[in-house]
Amino acid sequence: MTTNVSIDIGGTFTDLYLVSDAETISTKVPTTEGDLSTGLMNVIESAAAAKGISVESLLDSTVRIVHGTTVATNAIIEDDTATTALICTNGFRDILWFREGGKQNPYDWDVDYPDPYVPRSLTFGVDERMTAEGTVRRDLDEDSVHEVVAEIERRDVSAVAVSLLWAQVNPEHERRIGEILDERLPEVEYSLSHQVNPVIREYRRTSSTAIDASIQSLVGDYLSKFQSILERRGYERSPLIVTANGGVMPVEEVIQVPIWTVDSGPTMLPVAANEYVQYTLDRANVIALDMGGTSFDVSVVSEGKVSRTRDATVGEDYALGIEKTEITSVGSGGGSIATVDDGNRIHVGPESAGAVPGPACYLRGGKRPTVTDAALVLGYLSEDHFLGGKMDISEAAAREAIDEHVAAPLGTDTVDAAQVIYSTTIQDVTNSIKDVTISNGIDPREYVIAGGGGALGMHVVPIAEAMGINDIILPPNAGVMSAVGGIVSDLVRDFSISAHTRSDEFDYDLVTDTLEELRRKSQRFFERNAIPDEKRSVNYYGEGRYPNQVWELHVQLPEDTITEDSVASIVDRFHALHEDTYGFSTDEPIEFLAWRAEARSRLETSSIRSRSENDVPDEPVPYETRTAYFEGEPYEVDAYEGPLLNVDHSISGPAIVDTSTTTIVVPPSSDLEPTQTGALHISR
């Protein structure tokens, strides 16, 4: 029997999803702050216990472990990265200061000008100059490089970022600086911009290179420790790591370019949501949602394609620079803390109680009310069946926290205060969905909501109602949604090369050579990871814009070779994409700045399977009835065990469905039907 395991670390819980020939298992344990590896082993031990076997036996049958880690993201947010120096071209020391124009709102005098990712005191210029065409205007002055390296050596620096002007076109000088760093400072990690992110925009390329350098040691040490822990328990294969482009890569690949682990955890959300919606409803437009303990994540899948962006930031709005899966996150989760300000206005989040001390009802030291406490008071959660009965919670503690911090300041009773917390959370997350749909010309009524996370099931129907959406798909393991995505994801690596040309004077030789180099990079990636020919696929993209535009659009090439016909097809595709994105197109020529290859290999296992109908009752049978409140009104509500629901079991709201990882609330005027895959289809 072969087993595949996916592990995702969240701010509150560490989730695991297991798929074997005979079964699927999902489980979650509290995240262990300060030592994430302990939580990793705890959740593996929980899965082994669920199967009734030892950890060693579980790992021995496991052919693949996928891991999503927040270690890099957390380090950047908490300013706990390596002390990093930046080497740039003389005259460009302020690139990280200037950013792309400074503050987002330059007229907001209350907000300080943001600090650069690398302080100016650790930013050094070297004498060299490359032109935009890649010719050397001024040779690299190696004496100036040695002077800079000597100064870096005198400082408490453990990482170096190298980002020279136009190095993405001609990296000759950056490579030489790397050789000098190897000779002079062999113990110091360094990153070269042409290897990390060879794009045309100087700030983004430099920012991503600085971030990459600052987390190299951190990510490398963490992944090495992760591997060694598994090896000590008998697992000898190389784990796969979730990356920011919505795929996975082997540990060895990730250690070379660790920036791909930044903000990577949520990228599995749209992957899993899209898979389930296409399989269950044969629909290709999905709004993917994940509501965990700390945050609420939103991603859009249109016509089966996951949205990507180069505008992602991390920490204090530092540009990530790489093209990653587009995820919008707000601080609304099950652990989000509710407060009342001096004007008697309620706020929920962004501060979270996390795993420790957690919501007040967890009885782990938390004293302030959270969204989870409100759900417990409203009757959506059960003291006896939380997380399948594996974790005790206290309604009395939740009531005490809500009374003190919300009900008393608002002059209302406990249930009304809990309803205010719940309704405020719905409003906050609905606004975030509108920002990524309606504000971008997307009609959410044409989409299906799908997703998970421990808290989504309690909120998803009111969210759908507010957005005018009729269909909701919650996978059978919705409580560990990102872990599910790790199982169904592909092995993916992106490569890009800057090469400028225009559609009206197209440089066929330049683009042909560029695509050939991208093809070689992709094939070397496949060969390094022993991917057989039949499992290899490469998609090619051109990054183009109309002259004088600021931003590019990414248009997929119809084939991997360039001819007059293919250029005409690319132009037509660009015009159509521009029309769809911005509402208009022109007859102007198109300026292409860069070209990208997406190397992809479909992995063997899929979690989508028909569920067994054995050992379930003929009719849905509630395990208990409890009082729950909807819009302030009490209802006697039947509660069902999710694993005992089958395809023919249709349930009309109000109802509650409990599983081992989440709770799903079906309000009045809603219906729930299990599907053949085990996913739950809720319709309003």
Side-chain angles (χ1 to χ4, degrees):
M1 181 175 68
T2 59
T3 301
N4 292 270
V5 171
S6 177
I7 303 169
D8 177 66
I9 296 180
T12 304
F13 287 101
T14 295
D15 300 340
L16 180 145
Y17 182 56
L18 178 152
V19 178
S20 70
D21 299 334
E23 62 185 338
T24 64
I25 291 175
S26 58
T27 185
K28 54 173 62 206
V29 302
T31 294
T32 50
E33 295 184 19
D35 184 11
L36 300 180
S37 59
T38 298
L40 281 168
M41 288 313 304
N42 288 345
V43 81
I44 292 174
E45 289 170 0
S46 176
K51 288 178 67 66
I53 60 177
S54 68
V55 170
E56 287 74 15
S57 296
L58 172 61
L59 293 177
D60 183 61
S61 67
T62 299
V63 297
R64 183 167 75 249
I65 291 179
V66 177
H67 175 36
T69 174
T70 59
V71 64
T73 310
N74 292 345
I76 295 168
I77 292 172
E78 297 166 7
D79 194 22
D80 193 28
T81 56
T83 302
T84 305
L86 170 64
I87 298 177
C88 61
T89 302
N90 261 339
F92 290 84
R93 288 180 63 202
D94 291 313
I95 187 62
L96 293 183
W97 266 109
F98 290 162
R99 301 194 174 201
E100 290 173 332
K103 297 190 297 186
Q104 287 188 345
N105 184 357
Y107 301 106
D108 189 345
W109 302 106
D110 293 330
V111 177
D112 291 335
Y113 196 87
D115 291 330
Y117 192 79
V118 176
R120 200 173 190 276
S121 60
L122 290 178
T123 302
F124 306 95
V126 295
D127 193 18
E128 67 87 39
R129 192 59 182 266
M130 198 72 66
T131 70
E133 291 74 30
T135 58
V136 177
R137 174 170 292 180
R138 186 180 304 128
D139 290 332
L140 177 65
D141 183 348
E142 295 195 10
D143 289 340
S144 71
V145 177
H146 284 284
E147 290 174 7
V148 166
V149 171
E151 184 62 26
I152 290 174
E153 195 171 11
R154 286 192 289 269
R155 309 290 189 95
D156 185 20
V157 170
S158 49
V160 177
V162 183
S163 182
L164 304 181
L165 196 65
W166 299 111
Q168 78 276 15
V169 181
N170 184 346
E172 174 187 341
H173 292 170
E174 277 196 355
R175 290 196 184 110
R176 179 55 189 147
I177 292 175
E179 293 171 355
I180 294 173
L181 287 170
D182 283 332
E183 297 165 4
R184 295 282 302 275
L185 301 175
E187 74 286 355
V188 172
E189 303 281 0
Y190 67 86
S191 297
L192 307 179
S193 74
H194 74 276
Q195 295 176 343
V196 175
N197 191 23
V199 297
I200 195 170
R201 287 184 172 82
E202 202 69 14
Y203 166 63
R204 298 186 180 204
R205 180 163 57 89
T206 303
S207 179
S208 57
T209 305
I211 291 171
D212 186 82
S214 73
I215 61 174
Q216 273 209 31
S217 178
L218 178 78
V219 172
D221 291 347
Y222 172 80
L223 293 180
S224 296
K225 182 179 180 181
F226 174 50
Q227 270 192 294
S228 65
I229 289 173
L230 293 176
E231 288 171 358
R232 286 199 299 270
R233 303 299 291 266
Y235 186 78
E236 298 179 353
R237 299 177 178 88
S238 177
L240 298 174
I241 307 302
V242 173
T243 55
N245 61 2
V248 296
M249 286 198 295
V251 167
E252 296 78 13
E253 297 274 342
V254 172
I255 288 176
Q256 297 301 314
V257 196
I259 193 173
W260 285 103
T261 66
V262 180
D263 201 24
S264 61
T267 65
M268 290 295 99
L269 163 65
V271 173
N274 183 45
E275 184 106 351
Y276 266 97
V277 169
Q278 291 211 23
Y279 195 92
T280 306
L281 295 181
D282 195 24
R283 300 270 293 276
N285 290 335
V286 184
I287 297 174
L289 307 178
D290 189 300
M291 190 174 187
T294 305
S295 65
F296 181 86
D297 302 325
V298 186
S299 185
V300 176
V301 182
S302 295
E303 298 181 357
K305 295 182 179 179
V306 177
S307 299
R308 282 188 165 202
T309 181
R310 281 196 183 272
D311 295 330
T313 61
V314 64
E316 297 181 18
D317 284 332
Y318 304 122
L320 201 54
I322 57 176
E323 185 177 78
K324 67 177 294 291
T325 298
E326 187 168 15
I327 304 285
T328 298
S329 300
V330 294
S332 292
S336 295
I337 295 171
T339 58
V340 177
D341 64 20
D342 293 339
N344 274 358
R345 293 185 305 173
I346 190 168
H347 305 271
V348 182
E351 184 181 2
S352 173
V356 179
C361 65
Y362 283 11
L363 299 177
R364 291 179 174 169
K367 299 298 182 183
R368 294 191 287 172
T370 67
V371 173
T372 297
D373 295 306
L376 179 57
V377 169
L378 292 173
Y380 302 157
L381 299 176
S382 167
E383 287 183 305
D384 299 326
H385 293 86
F386 187 66
L387 295 184
K390 293 182 293 185
M391 183 173 174
D392 294 329
I393 55 177
S394 167
E395 183 178 346
R399 284 179 171 271
E400 182 179 350
I402 291 174
D403 283 342
E404 178 181 352
H405 295 281
V406 180
L410 294 180
T412 188
D413 63 30
T414 311
V415 172
D416 283 347
Q419 185 66 56
V420 170
I421 295 171
Y422 182 82
S423 299
T424 302
T425 302
I426 297 296
Q427 185 63 54
D428 289 344
V429 301
T430 300
N431 288 341
S432 70
I433 299 172
K434 291 178 179 178
D435 285 343
V436 300
T437 55
I438 297 172
S439 297
N440 290 316
I442 293 173
D443 185 349
R445 295 171 298 182
E446 299 175 355
Y447 283 66
V448 176
I449 282 181
L456 182 66
M458 297 183 293
H459 301 84
V460 68
V461 177
I463 292 170
E465 183 176 5
M467 300 302 301
I469 295 173
N470 293 323
D471 293 297
I472 301 163
I473 291 293
L474 297 177
N477 299 280
V480 294
M481 190 68 171
S482 289
V484 172
I487 289 291
V488 301
S489 62
D490 297 341
L491 194 73
V492 180
R493 180 73 190 267
D494 287 349
F495 302 96
S496 61
I497 297 176
S498 293
H500 179 269
T501 189
R502 285 167 53 117
S503 59
D504 58 343
E505 44 192 39
F506 201 83
D507 190 333
Y508 287 91
D509 291 338
L510 173 67
V511 177
T512 297
D513 292 344
T514 299
L515 294 180
E516 182 58 35
E517 178 59 23
L518 289 172
R519 187 177 298 106
R520 285 194 293 267
K521 288 176 179 286
S522 300
Q523 295 308 316
R524 286 196 291 267
F525 168 71
F526 289 136
E527 291 166 3
R528 286 195 303 271
N529 294 287
I531 305 299
D533 291 344
E534 65 273 13
K535 293 184 180 297
R536 300 179 182 185
S537 69
V538 183
N539 291 322
Y540 297 89
Y541 299 83
E543 300 180 15
R545 65 188 183 189
Y546 293 129
N548 302 316
Q549 281 188 317
V550 176
W551 306 113
E552 300 84 44
L553 292 175
H554 297 227
V555 58
Q556 185 171 350
L557 308 191
E559 51 195 24
D560 59 0
T561 57
I562 289 294
T563 64
E564 288 189 15
D565 289 341
S566 62
V567 171
S569 177
I570 296 168
V571 168
D572 290 341
R573 290 185 178 198
F574 178 87
H575 290 318
L577 181 60
H578 200 282
E579 178 84 34
D580 186 56
T581 305
Y582 297 115
F584 75 97
S585 60
T586 77
D587 57 1
E588 293 181 275
I590 300 164
E591 184 179 34
F592 293 99
L593 302 182
W595 309 84
R596 177 170 64 88
E598 180 188 81
R600 180 179 293 268
S601 173
R602 183 68 171 171
L603 299 176
E604 291 287 348
T605 301
S606 172
S607 67
I608 311 298
R609 58 178 64 184
S610 297
R611 63 176 294 172
S612 170
E613 298 188 13
N614 298 328
D615 302 322
V616 296
D618 293 334
E619 298 293 333
V621 179
Y623 71 84
E624 71 173 15
T625 300
R626 58 181 184 257
T627 302
Y629 293 83
F630 296 92
E631 297 183 357
E633 297 297 323
Y635 290 79
E636 292 303 305
V637 177
D638 289 336
Y640 300 85
E641 293 187 29
L644 297 183
L645 297 179
N646 221 328
V647 177
D648 297 328
H649 294 172
S650 179
I651 297 172
S652 296
I656 292 172
V657 177
D658 283 317
T659 74
S660 62
T661 58
T662 191
T663 291
I664 297 139
V665 176
V666 186
S669 302
S670 299
D671 297 313
L672 179 148
E673 293 183 355
T675 68
Q676 191 62 48
T677 65
L680 301 179
H681 178 204
I682 303 176
S683 55
R684 297 194 303 109

Tab-separated table of all heavy atoms in Angstrom, residues 49-74:
chain	number	residue	atom	x	y	z
A	49	ALA	N	-1.622	7.489	14.451
A	49	ALA	CA	-2.563	6.979	15.453
A	49	ALA	C	-3.934	6.720	14.832
A	49	ALA	O	-4.606	5.733	15.165
A	49	ALA	CB	-2.670	7.962	16.613
A	50	ALA	N	-4.351	7.610	13.915
A	50	ALA	CA	-5.644	7.423	13.251
A	50	ALA	C	-5.661	6.142	12.418
A	50	ALA	O	-6.711	5.515	12.254
A	50	ALA	CB	-5.963	8.631	12.380
A	51	LYS	N	-4.508	5.762	11.880
A	51	LYS	CA	-4.414	4.526	11.101
A	51	LYS	C	-4.125	3.319	11.986
A	51	LYS	O	-4.152	2.177	11.506
A	51	LYS	CB	-3.307	4.655	10.045
A	51	LYS	CG	-3.653	5.576	8.890
A	51	LYS	CD	-2.496	5.689	7.898
A	51	LYS	CE	-2.231	4.393	7.169
A	51	LYS	NZ	-3.329	3.985	6.268
A	52	GLY	N	-3.788	3.569	13.259
A	52	GLY	CA	-3.484	2.477	14.166
A	52	GLY	C	-2.139	1.828	13.917
A	52	GLY	O	-1.959	0.630	14.160
A	53	ILE	N	-1.180	2.630	13.404
A	53	ILE	CA	0.154	2.106	13.127
A	53	ILE	C	1.193	3.048	13.722
A	53	ILE	O	0.875	4.150	14.181
A	53	ILE	CB	0.404	1.940	11.619
A	53	ILE	CG1	0.264	3.288	10.900
A	53	ILE	CG2	-0.563	0.915	11.022
A	53	ILE	CD1	0.567	3.222	9.408
A	54	SER	N	2.451	2.643	13.701
A	54	SER	CA	3.527	3.487	14.207
A	54	SER	C	3.916	4.531	13.169
A	54	SER	O	3.608	4.394	11.978
A	54	SER	CB	4.751	2.634	14.552
A	54	SER	OG	5.318	2.092	13.365
A	55	VAL	N	4.598	5.587	13.643
A	55	VAL	CA	5.093	6.605	12.722
A	55	VAL	C	6.029	5.982	11.699
A	55	VAL	O	5.987	6.301	10.503
A	55	VAL	CB	5.809	7.729	13.500
A	55	VAL	CG1	6.538	8.668	12.546
A	55	VAL	CG2	4.812	8.510	14.339
A	56	GLU	N	6.889	5.068	12.165
A	56	GLU	CA	7.839	4.423	11.256
A	56	GLU	C	7.120	3.635	10.159
A	56	GLU	O	7.524	3.666	8.987
A	56	GLU	CB	8.770	3.502	12.052
A	56	GLU	CG	9.810	4.229	12.889
A	56	GLU	CD	9.207	4.881	14.145
A	56	GLU	OE1	8.057	4.526	14.512
A	56	GLU	OE2	9.882	5.738	14.745
A	57	SER	N	6.060	2.933	10.528
A	57	SER	CA	5.297	2.171	9.529
A	57	SER	C	4.611	3.101	8.533
A	57	SER	O	4.565	2.830	7.328
A	57	SER	CB	4.253	1.292	10.216
A	57	SER	OG	4.871	0.317	11.027
A	58	LEU	N	4.091	4.226	9.047
A	58	LEU	CA	3.448	5.192	8.162
A	58	LEU	C	4.451	5.751	7.161
A	58	LEU	O	4.188	5.799	5.953
A	58	LEU	CB	2.830	6.326	8.981
A	58	LEU	CG	2.274	7.517	8.187
A	58	LEU	CD1	1.152	7.067	7.266
A	58	LEU	CD2	1.792	8.610	9.130
A	59	LEU	N	5.608	6.176	7.646
A	59	LEU	CA	6.608	6.771	6.762
A	59	LEU	C	7.187	5.745	5.797
A	59	LEU	O	7.558	6.085	4.666
A	59	LEU	CB	7.722	7.412	7.586
A	59	LEU	CG	7.308	8.637	8.417
A	59	LEU	CD1	8.487	9.145	9.241
A	59	LEU	CD2	6.770	9.744	7.522
A	60	ASP	N	7.260	4.497	6.220
A	60	ASP	CA	7.797	3.457	5.347
A	60	ASP	C	6.907	3.241	4.131
A	60	ASP	O	7.397	2.929	3.039
A	60	ASP	CB	7.933	2.152	6.136
A	60	ASP	CG	8.558	1.042	5.296
A	60	ASP	OD1	9.718	1.224	4.850
A	60	ASP	OD2	7.896	0.012	5.072
A	61	SER	N	5.596	3.420	4.293
A	61	SER	CA	4.668	3.232	3.170
A	61	SER	C	4.445	4.516	2.379
A	61	SER	O	3.750	4.499	1.357
A	61	SER	CB	3.313	2.724	3.685
A	61	SER	OG	2.668	3.719	4.465
A	62	THR	N	5.017	5.619	2.831
A	62	THR	CA	4.786	6.914	2.194
A	62	THR	C	5.765	7.132	1.048
A	62	THR	O	6.984	7.093	1.241
A	62	THR	CB	4.933	8.055	3.219
A	62	THR	OG1	3.961	7.874	4.257
A	62	THR	CG2	4.719	9.409	2.567
A	63	VAL	N	5.240	7.370	-0.136
A	63	VAL	CA	6.085	7.584	-1.313
A	63	VAL	C	6.342	9.068	-1.558
A	63	VAL	O	7.276	9.425	-2.269
A	63	VAL	CB	5.455	6.956	-2.573
A	63	VAL	CG1	5.353	5.450	-2.412
A	63	VAL	CG2	4.085	7.560	-2.872
A	64	ARG	N	5.502	9.938	-0.982
A	64	ARG	CA	5.713	11.363	-1.195
A	64	ARG	C	5.193	12.157	-0.004
A	64	ARG	O	4.086	11.920	0.477
A	64	ARG	CB	5.025	11.840	-2.473
A	64	ARG	CG	5.282	13.311	-2.767
A	64	ARG	CD	4.871	13.697	-4.186
A	64	ARG	NE	3.445	13.802	-4.360
A	64	ARG	CZ	2.711	12.977	-5.068
A	64	ARG	NH1	3.277	11.956	-5.681
A	64	ARG	NH2	1.410	13.139	-5.189
A	65	ILE	N	6.009	13.096	0.475
A	65	ILE	CA	5.587	14.052	1.490
A	65	ILE	C	5.690	15.446	0.891
A	65	ILE	O	6.735	15.841	0.375
A	65	ILE	CB	6.445	13.962	2.764
A	65	ILE	CG1	6.174	12.638	3.492
A	65	ILE	CG2	6.162	15.134	3.700
A	65	ILE	CD1	6.985	12.453	4.756
A	66	VAL	N	4.590	16.182	0.932
A	66	VAL	CA	4.541	17.572	0.473
A	66	VAL	C	4.402	18.462	1.697
A	66	VAL	O	3.600	18.177	2.591
A	66	VAL	CB	3.361	17.802	-0.488
A	66	VAL	CG1	3.284	19.265	-0.904
A	66	VAL	CG2	3.476	16.908	-1.715
A	67	HIS	N	5.170	19.539	1.739
A	67	HIS	CA	5.165	20.391	2.930
A	67	HIS	C	5.058	21.860	2.549
A	67	HIS	O	5.827	22.357	1.723
A	67	HIS	CB	6.448	20.156	3.738
A	67	HIS	CG	6.602	21.056	4.920
A	67	HIS	ND1	5.542	21.471	5.695
A	67	HIS	CD2	7.700	21.631	5.479
A	67	HIS	CE1	5.971	22.253	6.668
A	67	HIS	NE2	7.271	22.374	6.554
A	68	GLY	N	4.073	22.539	3.105
A	68	GLY	CA	3.952	23.981	2.966
A	68	GLY	C	4.436	24.649	4.228
A	68	GLY	O	3.957	24.345	5.328
A	69	THR	N	5.401	25.537	4.104
A	69	THR	CA	6.018	26.145	5.281
A	69	THR	C	5.863	27.653	5.282
A	69	THR	O	5.920	28.297	4.231
A	69	THR	CB	7.512	25.790	5.363
A	69	THR	OG1	8.116	26.518	6.439
A	69	THR	CG2	8.238	26.147	4.079
A	70	THR	N	5.678	28.215	6.466
A	70	THR	CA	5.581	29.669	6.643
A	70	THR	C	6.851	30.248	7.245
A	70	THR	O	6.862	31.410	7.639
A	70	THR	CB	4.394	30.012	7.564
A	70	THR	OG1	4.583	29.361	8.835
A	70	THR	CG2	3.080	29.555	6.958
A	71	VAL	N	7.908	29.455	7.321
A	71	VAL	CA	9.098	29.901	8.047
A	71	VAL	C	9.699	31.157	7.431
A	71	VAL	O	10.106	32.085	8.158
A	71	VAL	CB	10.139	28.762	8.142
A	71	VAL	CG1	10.666	28.348	6.770
A	71	VAL	CG2	11.288	29.150	9.050
A	72	ALA	N	9.757	31.256	6.108
A	72	ALA	CA	10.344	32.447	5.470
A	72	ALA	C	9.435	33.661	5.644
A	72	ALA	O	9.890	34.760	5.974
A	72	ALA	CB	10.597	32.175	3.992
A	73	THR	N	8.137	33.471	5.413
A	73	THR	CA	7.191	34.583	5.555
A	73	THR	C	7.210	35.131	6.963
A	73	THR	O	7.264	36.355	7.177
A	73	THR	CB	5.766	34.107	5.204
A	73	THR	OG1	5.795	33.433	3.945
A	73	THR	CG2	4.809	35.281	5.136
A	74	ASN	N	7.172	34.243	7.950
A	74	ASN	CA	7.175	34.692	9.341
A	74	ASN	C	8.449	35.451	9.678
A	74	ASN	O	8.422	36.461	10.395
A	74	ASN	CB	7.017	33.497	10.283
A	74	ASN	CG	5.645	32.863	10.194
A	74	ASN	OD1	4.724	33.453	9.647
A	74	ASN	ND2	5.514	31.664	10.710
